[in-house]
Amino acid sequence: MADSSFDIVSKVERQEVDNALNQAAKEISQRYDFKGVGASISWSGEKILMEANSEDRVSAVLDVFQSKLIKRGISLKALDAGEPQLSGKEYKLFAEIKEGISQDNAKKVAKLIRDEGPKGVKAQVQGDELRVSSKSRDDLQTVIALLKGQDFDFALQFVNYR
């Protein structure tokens, strides 16, 4: 019998992020507490740019955007927001969407699977993802449960389960 396997990835669907950003922009344009503070959120190349006339307001824009991401099922671990910076009379805050598992993080996950996972489970790094394979599907389910119980500083999704 062939080995069963699944891939561990850290990907974010760009369209869902775009939808969350559009919802946040609409809410910001309509909310009373954002009137007259120049609050906005938009794409700036690959980054997300949030602007307002005070540090508190730009942080509130980030909060609105984060709540929209949560509603769309996107982990906040995929969002890398910087600190508000004064730029002229406006405060700006840049945020990035992190994708892919770095080599160091992939090695940490593979080591955790080797050390705490069931015997006979193999984990191999393939670029920015991790392939986990075993003869037993039950062992793979155990590995998924183990990883879901851990608190990594990056988002994990499990795909291609076969």
Side-chain angles (χ1 to χ4, degrees):
M1 185 177 141
D3 281 4
S4 299
S5 68
F6 68 90
D7 294 335
I8 302 172
V9 296
S10 182
K11 289 190 172 30
V12 175
E13 199 167 321
R14 173 95 175 177
Q15 184 61 49
E16 289 296 329
V17 174
D18 200 37
N19 291 343
L21 186 125
N22 291 336
Q23 286 178 340
K26 185 174 182 180
E27 182 174 322
I28 289 163
S29 70
Q30 293 174 345
R31 266 181 42 181
Y32 178 76
D33 58 332
F34 286 118
K35 295 281 187 232
V37 295
S40 68
I41 181 169
S42 61
W43 285 105
S44 174
E46 286 295 307
K47 294 185 177 188
I48 298 161
L49 170 65
M50 292 162 261
E51 298 177 297
N53 66 0
S54 75
E55 194 171 342
D56 293 341
R57 289 290 104 202
V58 81
S59 296
V61 171
L62 177 63
D63 287 344
V64 169
F65 181 55
Q66 287 175 333
S67 71
K68 299 301 178 190
L69 286 175
I70 291 169
K71 285 183 182 171
R72 294 217 152 258
I74 298 170
S75 172
L76 291 182
K77 292 178 181 178
L79 181 70
D80 185 20
E83 291 295 315
Q85 299 167 339
L86 186 60
S87 173
K89 292 183 178 178
E90 296 237 308
Y91 279 89
K92 293 184 176 189
L93 188 137
F94 286 98
E96 275 186 286
I97 302 296
K98 296 186 292 188
E99 288 195 302
I101 302 174
S102 70
Q103 288 291 326
D104 291 342
N105 289 337
K107 286 177 183 173
K108 284 181 197 171
V109 173
K111 181 174 178 2
L112 179 77
I113 292 170
R114 250 192 336 271
D115 294 347
E116 297 184 27
K119 298 288 178 234
V121 175
K122 294 185 286 293
Q124 51 198 140
V125 179
Q126 297 179 332
D128 62 349
E129 56 184 48
L130 202 68
R131 163 89 27 106
V132 179
S133 58
S134 172
K135 295 208 179 299
S136 164
R137 286 182 166 224
D138 291 342
D139 287 350
L140 294 181
Q141 293 286 347
T142 306
V143 169
I144 290 174
L146 171 73
L147 294 176
K148 282 184 177 178
Q150 298 296 315
D151 186 29
F152 295 109
D153 58 347
F154 52 95
L156 291 180
Q157 290 88 32
F158 306 102
V159 295
N160 295 338
Y161 185 81
R162 52 180 173 263

